[in-house]
Amino acid sequence: DTTLVDADAMDASEVDVELGIELKPGVESLANDASIEVLCLACDSAAGDFTVRSMRRRAPKPRDVVIEVKYCGVCHSDLHFAAGQMSGVTGAVQYPMCPGHEIAGVVSEVGSEVTRFEVGDKIGVGCMVDSCGRCAACEAGEEQRCAAGNVPTYGGTDKYGRAAQVPAGRQTLGGYTDRFVVHENFGVKIPSSYPLELAGPVMCAGVTTYDPIDAFGAGAGTRVGVVGLGGLGQFGVKIAKARGCVVTVISQNKSKEAFARRCGADEFVVSSDEDDLARHAKSLDLILNTVPVYHDYAKYRALLVDRGGRQVMLGLHTGFIGALLAGNVVGVKRSTLSGSAIGSVRATQEAMDLCATHDIRPDVEVVPCTAIHEVYQRLDDANDSGKRFVLDVAGTLTETTSKEEMGPPPTFAAVRKRPTVVQAVWETVKILVLLRWR
């Protein structure tokens, strides 16, 4: 736990030694404020070396909700950010870092002005915890496109005063924690009938696949391809099927065909088999590419129909960033290749309600918090199981957990085309000019 001295008693150059944050004038001693002490599963470096530690969250404000976290899903993006793999684009990671944006829990306290939630309600939190609330995008309910920038659930900076951290200046702490504080506008109602251990992945993987399916109007008869069948891909298959689409799963080999069929896939294509790709040429209206590492995404263009066919990149890597920028240049609705990151709070609620109505359940493996190193290793090794991993926070996050119980940290493979601003710009040029994909 980081201890701060009273601002009046400290030298102007005094800093929080652990975080390297210069203490701002007016910051009071934590012993005298109403901030909340919480347990976090946080990593100390880009090696992904997690430990359980005591940290602090802000005192709840009038429109804040305090959540007793029961479960938190583990997203591949958590690994990317914890390992500093996106720092060339998003900036340096501040350690200790607590990831997690697939939060599912129960409301334990509400502020005096909260109207959307009551104590005892099931609640989820996804990929962001604030936005400006004033720009055209925010007013249209598209906070993820906030002109001034939304505030990510972890690794972000409080810009508007509704995502304050303790101490001031610390990057936002995510959901690998026993308690979470969030403004009510960024909470998602989890239907009472939906299992909490399954709800967390809906907050990220669910809405990430739902949003482009909905945005491009995919419905009855739409032929949708899903590249990759990990935790993200399985949601794409199930949500597309719930909307009446004909779904084709595209994977490197046949090892996941049985799983794809269980998820509801109508067709299965082996991407490493050129003959199989040729047999399915011009057979798809929409492709959701969920692969989380850089790869040859251009090859899937041949699977799209000539008029109106689109591939949407969802996995986080340099190709995704290039596709996102290229789509913005050409116009997302016009571009045959684009990127889609997270959905709005409204879209997340729609995805949650769709999953509850159609009983869409992700294939998850609930694991103790002590298994986090093993989970990260499995994700880095391509997650052949296709399952979404979910941390049992309420049952296994304890202050007595030792480093020995956590086991050795993961050994991350070298990243092909580690994302940087230069790489992202080059990828965009390649898409627009060399590949002529627009």
Side-chain angles (χ1 to χ4, degrees):
D1 189 14
T2 303
T3 303
L4 305 184
V5 298
D6 191 290
D8 292 333
M10 70 181 183
D11 183 270
S13 63
E14 200 157 1
V15 297
D16 180 309
V17 176
E18 182 180 17
L19 294 171
I21 302 171
E22 186 172 351
L23 298 178
K24 297 181 179 181
V27 173
E28 298 179 355
S29 167
L30 293 183
N32 298 323
D33 71 9
S35 62
I36 301 173
E37 184 175 7
V38 299
L39 283 182
C40 291
L41 187 61
C43 61
D44 291 313
S45 72
D49 45 345
F50 283 87
T51 57
V52 177
R53 65 178 66 225
S54 175
M55 302 178 87
R56 302 195 82 88
R57 295 193 183 276
R58 68 177 181 272
K61 298 180 180 181
R63 296 194 63 189
D64 278 346
V65 174
V66 181
I67 302 170
E68 182 182 340
V69 179
K70 300 296 185 181
Y71 299 95
C72 187
V74 180
C75 177
H76 206 290
S77 297
D78 296 353
L79 184 157
H80 285 314
F81 281 90
Q85 294 172 357
M86 298 301 297
S87 60
V89 175
T90 61
V93 177
Q94 189 183 88
Y95 298 101
M97 187 253 199
C98 177
H101 55 209
E102 298 184 359
I103 302 166
V106 175
V107 175
S108 61
E109 182 182 340
V110 295
S112 60
E113 297 177 12
V114 170
T115 59
R116 296 185 61 239
F117 295 95
E118 296 179 353
V119 172
D121 285 350
K122 288 183 174 181
I123 184 174
V125 178
C127 299
M128 56 186 167
V129 291
D130 202 7
S131 67
C132 80
R134 299 184 300 271
C135 68
C138 287
E139 290 183 349
E142 296 288 330
E143 307 92 347
Q144 80 279 18
R145 304 183 192 281
C146 176
N150 65 64
V151 180
T153 303
Y154 62 80
T157 301
D158 176 34
K159 299 178 180 180
Y160 316 108
R162 294 179 294 268
Q165 302 295 300
V166 180
R170 181 197 288 273
Q171 291 179 349
T172 50
L173 300 177
Y176 298 1
T177 182
D178 60 352
R179 285 190 290 176
F180 195 87
V181 180
V182 69
H183 188 283
E184 64 170 330
N185 284 356
F186 290 84
V188 175
K189 297 176 185 246
I190 299 174
S192 58
S193 62
Y194 201 80
L196 270 180
E197 65 270 25
L198 305 181
V202 179
M203 305 299 144
C204 176
V207 70
T208 297
T209 51
Y210 170 84
D211 200 52
I213 289 172
D214 185 64
F216 289 111
T222 304
R223 296 166 299 175
V224 176
V226 178
V227 182
L229 198 62
L232 192 57
Q234 62 164 293
F235 259 116
V237 175
K238 294 174 181 180
I239 288 175
K241 285 297 293 182
R243 289 178 61 112
C245 303
V246 179
V247 181
T248 297
V249 167
I250 305 160
S251 190
Q252 284 186 314
N253 54 63
K254 292 182 70 69
S255 65
K256 287 189 177 180
E257 183 171 6
F259 180 50
R261 301 287 185 185
R262 289 200 304 272
C263 289
D266 300 287
E267 296 286 342
F268 188 88
V269 176
V270 178
S271 61
S272 59
D273 185 336
E274 295 299 327
D275 291 336
D276 205 10
L277 286 175
R279 281 192 294 271
H280 291 84
K282 301 182 181 181
S283 65
L284 300 174
D285 304 304
L286 175 66
I287 292 176
L288 304 180
N289 190 322
T290 71
V291 178
V293 295
Y294 190 84
H295 61 287
D296 180 15
Y297 54 85
K299 68 191 295 182
Y300 302 117
R301 183 178 187 175
L303 300 178
L304 291 169
V305 294
D306 288 331
R307 296 193 64 178
R310 294 181 175 90
Q311 178 175 190
V312 183
M313 305 289 283
L314 303 177
L316 190 58
H317 53 81
T318 301
F320 158 80
I321 299 171
L324 190 69
L325 295 174
N328 289 338
V329 170
V330 177
V332 173
K333 292 291 186 179
R334 294 177 52 225
S335 177
T336 56
L337 178 68
S338 60
S340 179
I342 60 176
S344 64
V345 177
R346 178 184 61 202
T348 308
Q349 188 66 64
E350 290 173 359
M352 183 71 260
D353 293 342
L354 179 76
C355 288
T357 299
H358 292 272
D359 197 29
I360 297 173
R361 300 186 173 210
D363 192 0
V364 307
E365 182 176 337
V366 179
V367 299
C369 290
T370 51
I372 190 65
H373 290 158
E374 177 189 349
V375 168
Y376 271 45
Q377 189 65 67
R378 291 171 69 179
L379 289 176
D380 197 58
D381 291 342
N383 187 19
D384 286 336
S385 72
K387 293 182 178 180
R388 200 78 179 178
F389 297 102
V390 176
L391 297 174
D392 177 7
V393 175
T396 66
L397 184 63
T398 65
E399 58 187 348
T400 58
T401 301
S402 66
K403 283 190 175 183
E404 289 70 29
E405 291 176 89
M406 303 293 294
T411 303
F412 297 130
V415 178
R416 181 187 174 197
K417 286 200 174 183
R418 182 181 291 269
T420 64
V421 173
V422 173
Q423 285 279 8
V425 171
W426 164 242
E427 198 73 18
T428 306
V429 172
K430 184 175 77 172
I431 290 168
L432 295 175
V433 180
L434 300 182
L435 297 180
R436 300 182 181 276
W437 198 327
R438 56 186 186 271

